[in-house]
Amino acid sequence: MAMAATAKLTLLLPTTLTSTVSFPTRVVLKPFPPLQRLVVAAAAASSSSQTLSSSHSFETPEARQIRLETESALEWGSVCARLADFAATAACCAACVEGRVAVGRSREESERLIEQTAAAVLLSAPLDFGGVEDVSAVVAAATGGRLLAVREICGVGRSIRAARGVFDQLQSLAQETQDGRFSPLLDVLQGCDFLTELVQRIEFCLDSTLSLVLDRASKKLETIRRERRRNIEMLESLLKDTASKIFQAGGIDSPVVTKRRSRMCVGVKASQKNLVPGGIILSSSGSGATYFMEPREAVELNNREVKLSGDERAEELVILGLLTSSIADSQLKIRNLMDKILELDLACARGSYALWTNGVKPSFSDSYSSSQSDQSSDYSVYIEGIRHPLLLEQSLMAEDSNIEASEMPVPLDMWVKKDARIVVISGPNTGGKTATMKTLGLSSLMSKAGIFFPAKGRPRIPWFDQVLADIGDHQSLEHSLSTFSGHISRLRRIVEVVSKDSLVLIDEIGSGTDPSEGVALSTSILKFLASKVNLAIVTTHYADLSRLQSVDSRFENAAMEFCLETLQPTYRILWDSTGKSNALSIAKSIGFDQKVLDRAQEWVEKLLPDKQKERQGLLYDSLLNERNLLESQANEAASVLSQVEGLYSEIRLEADDLESRVAALRTRGTQKVQQELKVVKSQMDTIIKNFEVQLKNSKLEQYNSLLRKAEAATASVVAAHQPNEITFSDDESQSLFVPQIGDKVYIQGLGGGTVATVIETLGEDGSCIVQYGKIKVQVKRSKMKLVQRGINETATSSSVKPKVC
């Protein structure tokens, strides 16, 4: 009976996967034709390939190989990987880690990337990319014909909706500012199709939280699930009733309703199976003591449950198939939208990186306005105070982790004149020649990719279509290449692919062979490159290469500074200078045998021509002296500026305090007048009382005498309190007055009661500098009146009080 039921169940399974699904828009979807899937898959693969390699789509295999080797030598991948720390989406993080950071194919494209970074720097808060997932593999699977799961389809819907949310954020920011500062970011998503209809279909049909197909996805599914729920209720009610009867009859220790082989059944002891007459044994317990039986009355209901369950699953597969087809149909739009989100996330990561490293916005020399008159207009490369990004990152990461950090890398100034095509950098070993060259190479790649680099001011650099480097040891036993052969092989390939807009970096050119032949070959190569490239930077220990500047204006020299006092490199670059290798000095600093060094110095003197020995390092030493002089003058200027700023602050404080001082003086003046009035009143009262007393005791003929005495006393009081005006007359004593340091003087125009002190005499005319309070001023002799001669006292401000008689 069980076998028959199973066979019947098998025959009842649906064999078709086509259906009509109802959506809010009432659109009928059709299954995706297999042939069309193949065509779209091929187009998608082509589009993806173009997206990943867009910045290098025109390069030859040879050029691509050299580019990859150059990026490895410059550690470009490490710079890209650092951006991953600031990425918000998984796709952006993966692109950064894998070194797939977009690099401009043209100057205009690089400028667009730079403007995006500049806009990202201005964001007050990071954009919310929450919900954006890397759905590239899911879309590719749909395009390839695989049926997507509910979770995968919901992921696509969430990502598209989240992308729309990012666009809405940018629109809101643009409306708030209304100055266009965020336009470069908004333009990235401008014109994108956010597939609103597809997202609505997915959200209408699927529950992303529970990862299941909703009843409303189709009318048929809704009907099937309603019938199935009703059938399950009937089946469970029947089985519970049967299990209860078996329990009451002692056929089981407790009622059991369970499912075996996808069919609902009850448990019964093996010895009591007759309690389920006509039942079908579906399974038994491990001990065999319990049978799981399907009652005869439940067979039809179970058959119906199995059928409805199969119908439900078939209808769900139809809905998932139709949604998968819709995703495959829209795969180009989805890929484009996700690529734009990746571009936007990269721009935000570049902005965060710029803030972290204190990077500045670069510009390209060929786009620079010639009308600007700053000193950088004479240079094709003008970068002030740049630090090697990777060296700087190590210090910054140590600071962020509260770890004792090494010193910050030394900032470099890179100034290459417009007419220069070859820059020859010389100097000591471990002096920073290679690091300087790598810094310039990285800065050119970073500017092309829109990444700000750590420098000062407004750096300018040409836009290079290629950055080609020969750095490091290319010795290979496998390919029978010596160090010299490896360098020459690389240089040959570089020469074959260079263009007028290329940057070439060559470390220790011509090394590894006979010096005379190395110099001859290096000279020939550099002469050739001077007419083929935009700029070439080479490092060398050959003094002959540094002399090319005197015979060819396309060459420029630079030297790495070396401190002869400490016998250590300073890692600073000196332009228009020729450096010494300082091999003997370095050997001495690391403790080499002095006898060997002395012998080596003797050989150096013998091998050097007299004239060469005389002029060796002359320009280098003169530049050092000039720089020291300029630093001294700069320090003096800074000191004078500090003094002027201090004096200005004092005057400003005096000016700010003037009103309060005037009010205080008025208050003191008022109090003084009141005190004098009291004194005068007291004196007048005394005179009157004395007069009255004397008048009573005197005779009549004495009246006139007493009256005259009273009037005289009154006049004396009046004279004693009369205001004393200081006059600056041209009498003989004034004309003979010669101010001396320490004299106390009145100054005309400062008020009669203000005393100043002479602190400095200037000219024959008697003019001098006087001080009152904190104020110092130059005054002519005719404007001064001597108060006290030659007593060194602190200048004070006081009022002259005439004596009261």
Side-chain angles (χ1 to χ4, degrees):
M1 181 68 179
M3 295 298 293
T6 303
K8 182 177 181 182
L9 176 63
T10 304
L11 293 175
L12 290 176
L13 288 175
T15 58
T16 177
L17 293 178
T18 59
S19 179
T20 300
V21 184
S22 298
F23 295 102
T25 52
R26 296 294 186 264
V27 176
V28 179
L29 302 176
K30 297 180 180 179
F32 201 52
L35 180 59
Q36 186 179 355
R37 284 199 190 99
L38 295 177
V39 173
V40 175
S46 174
S47 173
S48 177
S49 175
Q50 291 175 2
T51 300
L52 292 177
S53 61
S54 60
S55 58
H56 310 290
S57 57
F58 302 109
E59 64 184 356
T60 63
E62 186 76 7
R64 181 178 185 276
Q65 180 63 27
I66 298 177
R67 174 180 61 80
L68 294 176
E69 293 173 357
T70 298
E71 291 177 356
S72 175
L74 297 178
E75 299 179 87
W76 170 244
S78 298
V79 176
C80 296
R82 184 58 56 208
L83 290 177
D85 295 339
F86 305 98
T89 63
C92 181
C93 184
C96 294
V97 171
E98 297 168 10
R100 294 184 289 109
V101 175
V103 177
R105 293 172 296 177
S106 64
R107 177 176 60 81
E108 291 75 17
E109 186 172 348
S110 295
E111 287 177 341
R112 180 174 59 82
L113 295 175
I114 289 175
E115 292 303 323
Q116 290 177 2
T117 306
V121 169
L122 299 176
L123 289 171
S124 57
L127 295 178
D128 183 8
F129 288 88
V132 177
E133 304 173 17
D134 186 0
V135 297
S136 56
V138 175
V139 175
T143 305
R146 178 172 72 80
L147 183 67
L148 299 181
V150 175
R151 175 180 53 80
E152 294 174 319
I153 296 174
C154 290
V156 174
R158 279 196 304 271
S159 297
I160 297 174
R161 181 169 289 282
R164 180 55 191 252
V166 174
F167 180 67
D168 292 340
Q169 294 176 56
L170 287 173
Q171 281 189 319
S172 177
L173 288 173
Q175 292 174 356
E176 290 176 4
T177 56
Q178 294 184 347
D179 56 4
R181 68 177 68 177
F182 299 117
S183 295
L185 298 179
L186 189 61
D187 291 343
V188 175
L189 294 177
Q190 203 72 262
C192 286
D193 188 343
F194 292 98
L195 300 165
T196 304
E197 183 178 340
L198 174 60
V199 174
Q200 289 178 347
R201 291 175 183 173
I202 293 174
E203 294 176 347
F204 183 79
C205 295
L206 307 178
D207 186 331
S208 61
T209 304
L210 302 176
S211 293
L212 53 81
V213 182
L214 296 172
D215 293 355
R216 66 189 183 190
S218 74
K219 292 181 179 178
K220 182 176 181 180
L221 179 63
E222 186 178 9
T223 301
I224 291 172
R225 286 182 173 175
R226 184 170 59 251
E227 293 180 0
R228 186 182 175 192
R229 283 192 293 270
R230 185 166 58 247
N231 185 71
I232 289 177
E233 290 175 359
M234 295 171 60
L235 180 59
E236 288 180 345
S237 176
L238 173 64
L239 293 177
K240 286 179 180 179
D241 184 57
T242 302
S244 179
K245 290 179 180 179
I246 293 173
F247 169 70
Q248 292 173 358
I252 193 74
D253 293 337
S254 61
V256 176
V257 177
T258 185
K259 179 179 284 188
R260 291 291 187 273
R261 298 169 62 182
S262 301
R263 301 178 73 82
M264 298 294 292
C265 56
V266 296
V268 62
K269 293 180 180 178
S271 58
Q272 302 291 330
K273 65 178 181 179
N274 59 328
L275 293 176
V276 189
I280 303 170
I281 300 175
L282 299 178
S283 179
S284 62
S285 64
S287 63
T290 302
Y291 285 166
F292 297 101
M293 301 182 65
E294 180 182 5
R296 180 175 54 192
E297 297 82 2
V299 171
E300 185 62 31
L301 292 174
N302 260 326
N303 284 344
R304 185 169 178 77
E305 165 60 19
V306 172
K307 178 182 180 301
L308 290 173
S309 176
D311 291 345
E312 179 183 6
R313 181 56 184 162
E315 186 63 16
E316 288 177 351
L317 292 176
V318 170
I319 295 169
L320 294 178
L322 296 176
L323 292 175
T324 300
S325 298
S326 297
I327 291 175
D329 280 334
S330 306
Q331 63 92 21
L332 291 178
K333 294 180 179 179
I334 296 175
R335 289 182 188 276
N336 178 65
L337 180 58
M338 292 299 105
D339 286 344
K340 295 297 185 181
I341 288 293
L342 172 60
E343 181 180 351
L344 186 60
D345 193 9
L346 273 173
C348 294
R350 295 195 302 268
S352 299
Y353 177 83
L355 293 173
W356 183 56
T357 60
N358 199 24
V360 295
K361 177 182 177 182
S363 61
F364 296 113
S365 303
D366 44 3
S367 63
Y368 188 73
S369 174
S370 60
S371 61
Q372 299 190 40
S373 58
D374 59 55
Q375 58 179 343
S376 67
S377 60
D378 296 329
Y379 299 89
S380 61
V381 176
Y382 189 87
I383 306 176
E384 183 180 3
I386 186 172
R387 303 177 191 266
H388 191 290
L390 298 180
L391 297 179
L392 178 62
E393 287 174 12
Q394 295 175 6
S395 300
L396 294 177
M397 291 176 65
E399 288 182 1
D400 294 343
S401 304
N402 294 323
I403 301 175
E404 184 176 354
S406 57
E407 294 183 1
M408 285 287 184
V410 177
L412 299 171
D413 295 330
M414 296 191 177
W415 303 325
V416 180
K417 295 177 182 176
K418 283 185 175 180
D419 297 334
R421 292 293 174 264
I422 308 293
V423 176
V424 179
I425 303 178
S426 55
N429 292 304
T430 70
K433 299 189 299 296
T434 304
T436 298
M437 186 169 56
K438 285 185 174 182
T439 302
L440 180 59
L442 272 181
S443 64
S444 63
L445 288 176
M446 294 172 74
S447 59
K448 287 182 66 178
I451 304 174
F452 291 8
F453 47 76
K456 299 177 181 178
R458 301 172 55 195
R460 293 196 303 113
I461 189 171
W463 186 86
F464 300 110
D465 62 348
Q466 299 178 96
V467 179
L468 309 170
D470 174 33
I471 300 175
D473 189 355
H474 308 292
Q475 185 183 51
S476 173
L477 297 179
E478 181 182 356
H479 297 93
S480 301
L481 289 177
S482 65
T483 299
F484 177 74
S485 300
H487 280 296
I488 293 303
S489 175
R490 176 73 67 84
L491 288 175
R492 177 190 60 80
R493 290 187 292 148
I494 289 176
V495 167
E496 290 176 354
V497 300
V498 294
S499 71
K500 284 287 188 181
D501 293 322
S502 298
L503 170 65
V504 177
L505 309 172
I506 307 175
D507 190 26
E508 300 293 353
I509 186 171
S511 61
T513 188
D514 178 80
S516 59
E517 292 184 355
V519 169
L521 181 60
S522 300
T523 301
S524 180
I525 292 174
L526 294 180
K527 288 278 190 180
F528 177 82
L529 289 176
S531 59
K532 294 291 185 181
V533 300
N534 186 312
L535 181 63
I537 309 292
V538 300
T539 65
T540 184
H541 288 285
Y542 295 145
D544 292 327
L545 296 183
S546 298
R547 298 190 195 106
L548 293 174
Q549 182 185 29
S550 61
V551 296
D552 192 333
S553 61
R554 297 174 299 176
F555 284 73
E556 184 173 351
N557 288 335
M560 302 308 299
E561 186 182 47
F562 186 84
C563 182
L564 295 176
E565 295 180 359
T566 63
L567 299 181
Q568 294 293 330
T570 64
Y571 305 108
R572 294 177 179 174
I573 187 169
L574 304 175
W575 292 93
D576 289 328
S577 178
T578 302
K580 304 175 185 179
S581 293
N582 292 292
L584 299 183
S585 299
I586 295 174
K588 181 178 180 180
S589 69
I590 62 177
F592 214 92
D593 192 326
Q594 186 61 41
K595 294 181 180 179
V596 176
L597 298 179
D598 292 341
R599 184 60 177 166
Q601 184 63 39
E602 293 176 5
W603 279 105
V604 169
E605 294 173 356
K606 290 179 181 180
L607 294 174
L608 282 176
D610 293 340
K611 292 185 178 180
Q612 177 63 20
K613 181 179 178 181
E614 181 181 353
R615 67 185 182 184
Q616 182 181 18
L618 185 61
L619 180 58
Y620 178 78
D621 294 337
S622 66
L623 283 176
L624 284 179
N625 293 334
E626 183 178 354
R627 195 193 71 175
N628 292 335
L629 177 61
L630 291 175
E631 287 182 351
S632 176
Q633 293 175 347
N635 292 335
E636 275 186 43
S639 176
V640 172
L641 176 62
S642 176
Q643 294 177 4
V644 171
E645 289 178 345
L647 180 59
Y648 171 79
S649 299
E650 290 183 6
I651 295 175
R652 185 62 183 267
L653 289 174
E654 289 288 338
D656 293 341
D657 196 41
L658 187 59
E659 292 184 2
S660 60
R661 292 174 61 188
V662 169
L665 288 174
R666 287 176 177 174
T667 302
R668 288 199 297 268
T670 302
Q671 292 175 351
K672 180 182 175 182
V673 169
Q674 291 176 351
Q675 291 175 356
E676 290 185 352
L677 285 175
K678 290 181 180 179
V679 172
V680 170
K681 184 176 183 300
S682 175
Q683 292 176 346
M684 292 300 297
D685 289 342
T686 300
I687 293 172
I688 293 173
K689 288 180 179 180
N690 291 337
F691 178 75
E692 289 177 347
V693 170
Q694 293 175 358
L695 185 62
K696 290 180 180 180
N697 299 328
S698 299
K699 297 179 180 180
L700 183 60
E701 57 271 12
Q702 295 177 333
Y703 174 78
N704 293 331
S705 175
L706 292 176
L707 182 61
R708 286 195 297 272
K709 288 181 180 180
E711 289 177 348
T714 302
S716 176
V717 171
V718 172
H721 294 278
Q722 189 70 21
N724 186 16
E725 294 292 335
I726 299 174
T727 60
F728 293 82
S729 61
D730 295 330
D731 56 14
E732 182 179 357
S733 61
Q734 178 67 15
S735 62
L736 296 176
F737 170 57
V738 177
Q740 296 180 4
I741 296 177
D743 287 352
K744 305 294 184 178
V745 295
Y746 294 128
I747 306 299
Q748 185 177 0
L750 292 181
T754 303
V755 178
T757 303
V758 177
I759 62 173
E760 183 179 351
T761 58
L762 296 178
E764 297 179 354
D765 59 349
S767 62
C768 58
I769 293 179
V770 300
Q771 178 175 349
Y772 57 99
K774 294 184 179 180
I775 306 301
K776 299 177 183 179
V777 64
Q778 183 175 344
V779 183
K780 292 183 179 180
R781 184 180 61 179
S782 60
K783 302 297 183 180
M784 296 184 293
K785 186 175 183 64
L786 179 65
V787 175
Q788 183 177 353
R789 172 69 76 177
I791 298 177
N792 293 327
E793 296 178 354
T794 304
T796 58
S797 296
S798 60
S799 299
V800 177
K801 299 182 179 179
K803 297 180 181 180
V804 179
C805 297

